[in-house]
Amino acid sequence: MATLTHQESVTAEYLEVSPGTRRKFMLIIVAGVAVLVLGVIMSMLGIGAHHEAAEGAAAAHGAGHGAGEHHGSAPWLKRIIVSLWHNNVFFTGVSAIGTVFMAIQYVAYAGWSVVVKRINEALSAWLVPGLVIMMVVFGLNFINYDLFHWTVPGIMDKGSETYDAIVAGKSGFLNIPFYLIRMVLFLGLWIFFTKRLRDLSLEEDLHGGTEYFHKSINVSAGFLVIYAVSSSMAAWDWVMSVDVHWFSTMFGWYVFASWWVSGIAAVTLCTILLKQAGYLRWVKESHLHDLGKFMFGFSIFWTYVWFSQFMLIWYANLPEESVYFNQRLGGFNGQYTWLFFGNLIINFAFPFLVLMTRDAKRQMIMLKIVSIAILVGHWSDFYLMFMPGTMKGDNGFVIEIGIALIFLGAFLILFTKRLSQASLVPLHHPFLDESVHHTT
């Protein structure tokens, strides 16, 4: 039973972000810009390009659906636009998991996680820039309609040379005004509830008592109901509508599973790095053990959803569904096949085997390695969701890694800034005593 007593011996801890640390974050951004420029130059020179495979596959895909041919931007520009969307969807989803994780702990009356609560609060710092970037990149799509095929002019108008009957059948849901409304509404609600929980947490630090805790439970319950619906619809909008002809009833769960385990890995990695830097002295092996169990368990959950979606679609062998996996397994001269199977290794086999024992879940070095592997693995999972449907066979990694580094550096700047604005330990949380004395 959770206690409502206060651990008087716990004192405030404040993160100090040194100028050297800020310079490291800036260097990550600068390195990302350098890699991005290198990737653009390589693309312009045709180094590592697969234009013939891409154009052939695109023509076949268009002919199969009776749609008009659409060429799009130069490969380097198209890759930049797609990669901006890919990275922003990944980082925004992981950021939202900070609030989701915290909300679940509130409604479950969980006490063990209080000492890492501020990490979850800071993780959600990307939501506001995530909304801004998402709207900007959606606007960039209209340069040459590189990201969303359903936005091509005339594609839903019968008689147009670009008319597509399948896309036209989805016009009630996939239309630009409604799409933008959903985007702003979903992220706006996530931002609102995140700010509300953060404000209550800071007020609790100042005044103590249980009033703010009970308010946080009510806010969390409302947020989780909204998130359960909006996250699935966001997955349809932001990811599945890139492959506009394809559909899967399990896709919302699949994207959430990828966001969720990535968010837990991010929390675990940040906890370990702060602990190694001399902070979070109340975090013990027991807390790391629980975070490790979450990573272990939900890596299996992601695999369960992955296999269920794949098995049902592959077994039914319906052309409108199986085309998604055909592209990733053997399409475009097999350019995505190694990544398709590599995702299973890094996102399932590796964390499953490494974290199988109790001792492994309590060792910082093992948890750090697995956390990094999961984050890289699920970034590549989202890469595999976006690239075949947009770039076809004209994909690459240099531009994409460069943009990922830029996002990572910017994310770390915002994350550490929010983390430094309040005590790393929520001093007046009613379950603090339970968290400090947590054992497993």
Side-chain angles (χ1 to χ4, degrees):
M1 184 69 179
T3 179
L4 293 179
T5 62
H6 172 55
Q7 178 55 250
E8 296 294 344
S9 62
V10 177
T11 55
E13 283 185 293
Y14 288 91
L15 174 66
E16 294 183 12
V17 185
S18 67
T21 302
R22 293 191 185 94
R23 281 195 297 271
K24 289 179 182 177
F25 297 158
M26 291 304 300
L27 283 174
I28 293 174
I29 296 175
V30 171
V33 173
V35 174
L36 170 60
V37 172
L38 175 64
V40 171
I41 293 172
M42 290 174 62
S43 180
M44 287 179 170
L45 295 177
I47 300 174
H50 305 276
H51 300 300
E52 292 183 7
E55 289 171 3
H61 181 72
H65 293 287
E69 189 176 358
H70 174 64
H71 295 287
S73 302
W76 65 269
L77 178 57
K78 188 172 184 178
R79 282 172 61 186
I80 289 175
I81 293 172
V82 173
S83 189
L84 285 170
W85 187 265
H86 160 213
N87 281 282
N88 193 54
V89 168
F90 177 74
F91 278 91
T92 301
V94 171
S95 183
I97 294 302
T99 305
V100 176
F101 188 92
M102 182 169 54
I104 291 173
Q105 302 306 301
Y106 270 121
V107 299
Y109 280 73
W112 72 271
S113 60
V114 172
V115 291
V116 297
K117 178 172 174 282
R118 286 285 150 80
I119 295 176
N120 289 285
E121 292 178 11
L123 198 67
S124 59
W126 189 259
L127 288 177
V128 173
L131 172 58
V132 174
I133 293 171
M134 195 168 289
M135 294 182 69
V136 170
V137 178
F138 186 71
L140 293 176
N141 166 74
F142 293 94
I143 295 175
N144 275 304
Y145 309 98
D146 294 319
L147 194 54
F148 297 105
H149 183 64
W150 57 269
T151 60
V152 172
I155 197 168
M156 299 181 186
D157 300 328
K158 189 171 291 188
S160 169
E161 63 178 9
T162 59
Y163 176 72
D164 189 315
I166 295 176
V167 178
K170 303 180 181 184
S171 60
F173 187 79
L174 285 181
N175 60 80
I176 294 170
F178 192 26
Y179 186 93
L180 286 172
I181 289 171
R182 291 195 302 272
M183 180 193 297
V184 174
L185 179 64
F186 295 163
L187 280 169
L189 286 170
W190 298 359
I191 291 167
F192 169 78
F193 281 99
T194 296
K195 186 178 185 305
R196 182 65 179 143
L197 286 173
R198 172 71 169 178
D199 289 344
L200 288 169
S201 181
L202 296 179
E203 286 290 315
E204 184 180 69
D205 266 12
L206 292 174
H207 306 294
T210 60
E211 174 188 358
Y212 302 103
F213 173 75
H214 292 298
K215 286 182 179 178
S216 296
I217 292 173
N218 293 332
V219 173
S220 297
F223 169 72
L224 290 174
V225 172
I226 290 172
Y227 182 82
V229 177
S230 60
S231 61
S232 287
M233 296 180 72
W236 306 339
D237 284 352
W238 305 343
V239 187
M240 192 163 67
S241 70
V242 167
D243 287 277
V244 67
H245 292 110
W246 179 73
F247 61 91
S248 167
T249 56
M250 298 186 67
F251 198 72
W253 277 108
Y254 179 74
V255 172
F256 167 74
S258 197
W259 277 337
W260 175 247
V261 74
S262 299
I264 294 171
V267 172
T268 305
L269 181 60
C270 293
T271 301
I272 292 170
L273 293 174
L274 286 168
K275 183 73 174 174
Q276 292 178 332
Y279 296 98
L280 297 179
R281 62 184 182 275
W282 301 108
V283 171
K284 303 190 293 288
E285 288 182 345
S286 299
H287 300 99
L288 297 176
H289 187 196
D290 282 346
L291 290 170
K293 286 189 288 186
F294 268 104
M295 282 199 296
F296 177 79
F298 283 102
S299 291
I300 297 173
F301 173 71
W302 172 84
T303 311
Y304 164 74
V305 179
W306 182 96
F307 176 76
S308 298
Q309 179 176 250
F310 175 78
M311 183 269 294
L312 291 172
I313 289 175
W314 198 254
Y315 184 76
N317 200 27
L318 299 174
E320 63 270 23
E321 294 184 17
S322 60
V323 63
Y324 183 86
F325 290 105
N326 286 334
Q327 288 178 340
R328 287 152 179 81
L329 267 172
F332 312 115
N333 295 330
Q335 287 173 222
Y336 298 98
T337 305
W338 66 273
L339 187 59
F340 182 87
F341 291 108
N343 269 343
L344 284 177
I345 295 172
I346 194 170
N347 292 325
F348 169 62
F350 183 71
F352 178 77
L353 294 174
V354 173
L355 295 180
M356 188 176 290
T357 65
R358 181 177 187 271
D359 287 342
K361 300 185 190 77
R362 302 170 76 88
Q363 296 177 17
M364 286 194 286
I365 184 62
M366 303 300 286
L367 290 174
K368 184 191 289 188
I369 292 171
V370 172
S371 297
I372 294 171
I374 286 174
L375 288 168
V376 173
H378 284 281
W379 180 89
S380 67
D381 186 28
F382 275 90
Y383 177 97
L384 198 60
M385 292 183 212
F386 285 113
M387 287 298 166
T390 54
M391 295 307 304
K392 309 302 179 188
D394 197 20
N395 64 309
F397 283 96
V398 181
I399 289 175
E400 292 72 14
I401 291 174
I403 293 177
L405 289 173
I406 295 171
F407 270 78
L408 176 61
F411 182 90
L412 290 173
I413 290 172
L414 291 178
F415 171 78
T416 52
K417 180 180 179 181
R418 176 170 291 185
L419 200 58
S420 65
Q421 290 173 341
S423 171
L424 292 175
V425 180
L427 292 176
H428 294 113
H429 193 288
F431 291 172
L432 178 59
D433 190 68
E434 177 181 333
S435 188
V436 167
H437 294 97
H438 175 62
T439 57
T440 54

